[in-house]
Amino acid sequence: MSSLVRLRLLPSAKCLYTQPVQVLVDGLRSSQVVTVKAGTTDDKGTLFHASAVYRAGADGGVDLGRDPSLGGSYRGVEPMGLLSSLRADVLHAKFFKIDSRKPHVVRFSVHEGEEEAGATLAEATNERRLLADGVSRQPIDEGNIRGVLFVPPGEGPFPAVLDLYTFGGGLSERRASLLANCGFMVLTLALYGHHQPKTVTKLHLDYFEEAIQFLRKQPKVMDSGVGLISLSKSGDLALSMATYLPHVKATVWINGCCSNVVMPLYYRGSQLLSGLMYDGRDLRFTESGALIIKDGLHDPLAPENQGSLIPVEQAAGHFLFVAGEDDLNWDSCLFADHLTERLRRHGKDNFEKVFYPGTGHYMEPPFGPFCPSSVHAVVGAVVAWGGEPKAHAEAEVHLWSKIQEFFRKHLVSDTASAKARL
């Protein structure tokens, strides 16, 4: 490495996962061409990397927030492009950052010339923590509930959120821990209860009711109702919870469906909703071999599928419907339009709707690797999720702020707000 070249990460090489960093290189020759690389390993041991080519200015410096990439994983000015452009060394791998106790460690390096194999000039490591100082992490195995509870530091009270982000019934702590960093008490919940069999053919709303009751009993919780945040299949679960269960005040639905999908939903021993199914005859393949399953889901509005439609007009709480316009999993924009139109027909105005152009199915907290394709837990095959990397990354940044704003608006009481200001 050159002793003259420096790679700096500002304001600090250690930060929270959702905080941007400024990547600077100095000590280069005027107009020198270099390649800046980023690499990381996820919780499953999969390697991810990205690279971008830059030309130094007259002062011998490169600033990723100012200077355009000339090639590599992306082109143009993208201050956090090396993080959002991280791709696995193997096809169809999703980035798994599941355990909040392990930081997202990204290794940056600067190399001579336009080739990644050029001589290393400088290196730096960015440690991106998922847990802020003072946030407690409590594994939960109580009754049927299987999950992890995150509680912000201080006496509270804190607005409560149930995170329904799931990996085929398993747990992911990333989104829940990051929301707790923002002042929310969050329970991330496994899709299936602790005592259910591994092969699940139906879901029970009673399990999710138990989780809501658990959250509301926490000593530091705000007595203003519970928020729900969902994605994909858990989107229809969140709609059903908001529709049939009390105390749900605010629901974030991200790229979900307007019907109960695949597995029938039961409550207190009786079936509430049938499962909307897929038809394998309408599937297509991408050049990489991933399936496009968007057109395979049966029409939820067809007469024979009325039993799967969720009567959201019965819900008392508020909704934030979020859809990526390039979602290839299913037509989430159409489903969001149906949901809002159904609410309007019943005289409801308890919703907001946001569509993001160029955005695919897996909308995550910002500054993580973009996932174009991976194994679908229900389909059991590799599917394409859609999205254009830059537009998708920009949408995730905007949505992260939107989610917090929505929850604070509908979960934080005026009394609690006044207490917080004092």
Side-chain angles (χ1 to χ4, degrees), residues 272-292:
L272 282 177
L273 299 167
S274 58
L276 186 68
M277 304 305 292
Y278 276 92
D279 188 338
R281 293 175 296 181
D282 293 321
L283 306 185
R284 297 175 285 132
F285 284 95
T286 65
E287 291 183 1
S288 69
L291 280 170
I292 297 177

Side-chain angles (χ1 to χ4, degrees), residues 132-143:
D133 292 339
V135 174
S136 72
R137 173 191 179 274
Q138 305 169 23
I140 303 300
D141 186 356
E142 182 175 313

Side-chain angles (χ1 to χ4, degrees), residues 217-237:
K217 289 189 299 184
Q218 296 307 302
K220 295 183 180 181
V221 76
M222 190 175 291
D223 187 20
S224 57
V226 172
L228 308 176
I229 183 166
S230 60
L231 172 68
S232 194
K233 163 61 189 173
S234 67
D236 63 73
L237 279 172

Side-chain angles (χ1 to χ4, degrees), residues 309-353:
L309 277 173
I310 302 165
V312 290
E313 68 276 4
Q314 298 178 19
H318 292 262
F319 295 99
L320 173 61
F321 298 112
V322 180
E325 292 185 2
D326 193 36
D327 184 355
L328 295 182
N329 181 73
W330 49 31
D331 199 339
S332 52
C333 289
L334 177 67
F335 300 151
D337 282 338
H338 168 74
L339 288 163
T340 54
E341 178 57 31
R342 180 165 187 152
L343 288 167
R344 284 194 190 98
R345 285 201 314 267
H346 289 83
K348 296 291 191 80
D349 60 357
N350 57 339
F351 61 86
E352 301 174 52
K353 181 171 65 174

Side-chain angles (χ1 to χ4, degrees), residues 145-406:
I145 299 173
R146 182 162 58 96
V148 180
L149 179 68
F150 295 93
V151 183
E155 294 303 315
F158 305 110
V161 174
L162 187 63
D163 187 349
L164 300 173
Y165 193 104
T166 60
F167 286 113
L171 282 168
S172 173
E173 300 180 17
R174 177 170 33 158
R175 189 171 64 182
S177 62
L178 297 176
L179 276 174
N181 295 345
C182 301
F184 299 95
M185 181 185 293
V186 188
L187 172 63
T188 181
L189 186 70
L191 185 60
Y192 314 133
H194 184 67
H195 302 296
Q196 283 191 252
K198 291 184 178 180
T199 302
V200 178
T201 58
K202 57 187 178 182
L203 293 175
H204 297 270
L205 202 59
D206 313 65
Y207 171 60
F208 302 98
E209 182 177 42
E210 185 178 344
I212 290 175
Q213 292 169 347
F214 172 85
L215 254 181
R216 296 187 69 243
K217 289 189 299 184
Q218 296 307 302
K220 295 183 180 181
V221 76
M222 190 175 291
D223 187 20
S224 57
V226 172
L228 308 176
I229 183 166
S230 60
L231 172 68
S232 194
K233 163 61 189 173
S234 67
D236 63 73
L237 279 172
L239 294 183
S240 294
M241 293 167 69
T243 297
Y244 295 111
L245 301 178
H247 310 299
V248 176
K249 299 299 182 183
T251 301
V252 177
W253 173 101
I254 304 172
N255 288 332
C257 186
C258 55
S259 288
N260 179 64
V261 179
V262 179
M263 290 177 278
L265 183 66
Y266 283 73
Y267 184 50
R268 297 182 179 177
S270 298
Q271 181 174 306
L272 282 177
L273 299 167
S274 58
L276 186 68
M277 304 305 292
Y278 276 92
D279 188 338
R281 293 175 296 181
D282 293 321
L283 306 185
R284 297 175 285 132
F285 284 95
T286 65
E287 291 183 1
S288 69
L291 280 170
I292 297 177
I293 63 173
K294 181 174 182 176
D295 299 323
L297 192 65
H298 290 176
D299 180 5
L301 304 185
E304 63 271 21
N305 296 321
Q306 292 296 303
S308 67
L309 277 173
I310 302 165
V312 290
E313 68 276 4
Q314 298 178 19
H318 292 262
F319 295 99
L320 173 61
F321 298 112
V322 180
E325 292 185 2
D326 193 36
D327 184 355
L328 295 182
N329 181 73
W330 49 31
D331 199 339
S332 52
C333 289
L334 177 67
F335 300 151
D337 282 338
H338 168 74
L339 288 163
T340 54
E341 178 57 31
R342 180 165 187 152
L343 288 167
R344 284 194 190 98
R345 285 201 314 267
H346 289 83
K348 296 291 191 80
D349 60 357
N350 57 339
F351 61 86
E352 301 174 52
K353 181 171 65 174
V354 184
F355 286 177
Y356 289 105
T359 303
H361 185 69
Y362 261 113
M363 298 188 71
E364 308 271 18
F367 309 134
F370 169 67
C371 181
S373 60
S374 66
V375 175
H376 192 295
V378 176
V379 176
V382 171
V383 304
W385 301 115
E388 184 277 318
K390 183 177 181 180
H392 194 97
E394 291 173 348
E396 288 178 336
V397 172
H398 181 270
L399 177 59
W400 187 243
S401 295
K402 183 73 177 175
I403 289 168
Q404 296 172 59
E405 174 190 314
F406 175 77

Side-chain angles (χ1 to χ4, degrees), residues 31-225:
S31 300
Q32 182 177 355
V33 174
V34 294
T35 298
V36 184
K37 296 170 55 178
T40 191
T41 304
D42 74 359
D43 287 353
K44 287 196 167 185
T46 304
L47 300 175
F48 290 74
H49 71 275
S51 65
V53 178
Y54 290 93
R55 186 183 301 278
D59 61 353
V62 171
D63 180 349
L64 271 63
R66 175 196 66 194
D67 301 324
S69 166
L70 307 177
S73 300
Y74 60 92
R75 288 179 178 270
V77 179
E78 293 192 38
M80 296 289 283
L82 283 174
L83 289 183
S84 59
S85 297
L86 286 164
R87 296 291 181 276
D89 291 348
V90 295
L91 276 176
H92 313 308
K94 190 179 188 304
F95 179 73
F96 280 83
K97 180 49 65 178
I98 301 171
D99 189 340
S100 62
R101 295 167 294 184
K102 299 177 181 178
H104 175 30
V105 178
V106 184
R107 300 168 297 278
F108 289 93
S109 55
V110 184
H111 300 263
E112 179 74 52
E114 298 184 36
E115 301 296 329
E116 292 188 28
T120 302
L121 302 177
E123 296 176 320
T125 298
N126 185 198
E127 186 176 297
R128 309 183 63 79
R129 294 182 297 127
L130 278 74
L131 282 176
D133 292 339
V135 174
S136 72
R137 173 191 179 274
Q138 305 169 23
I140 303 300
D141 186 356
E142 182 175 313
N144 291 309
I145 299 173
R146 182 162 58 96
V148 180
L149 179 68
F150 295 93
V151 183
E155 294 303 315
F158 305 110
V161 174
L162 187 63
D163 187 349
L164 300 173
Y165 193 104
T166 60
F167 286 113
L171 282 168
S172 173
E173 300 180 17
R174 177 170 33 158
R175 189 171 64 182
S177 62
L178 297 176
L179 276 174
N181 295 345
C182 301
F184 299 95
M185 181 185 293
V186 188
L187 172 63
T188 181
L189 186 70
L191 185 60
Y192 314 133
H194 184 67
H195 302 296
Q196 283 191 252
K198 291 184 178 180
T199 302
V200 178
T201 58
K202 57 187 178 182
L203 293 175
H204 297 270
L205 202 59
D206 313 65
Y207 171 60
F208 302 98
E209 182 177 42
E210 185 178 344
I212 290 175
Q213 292 169 347
F214 172 85
L215 254 181
R216 296 187 69 243
K217 289 189 299 184
Q218 296 307 302
K220 295 183 180 181
V221 76
M222 190 175 291
D223 187 20
S224 57

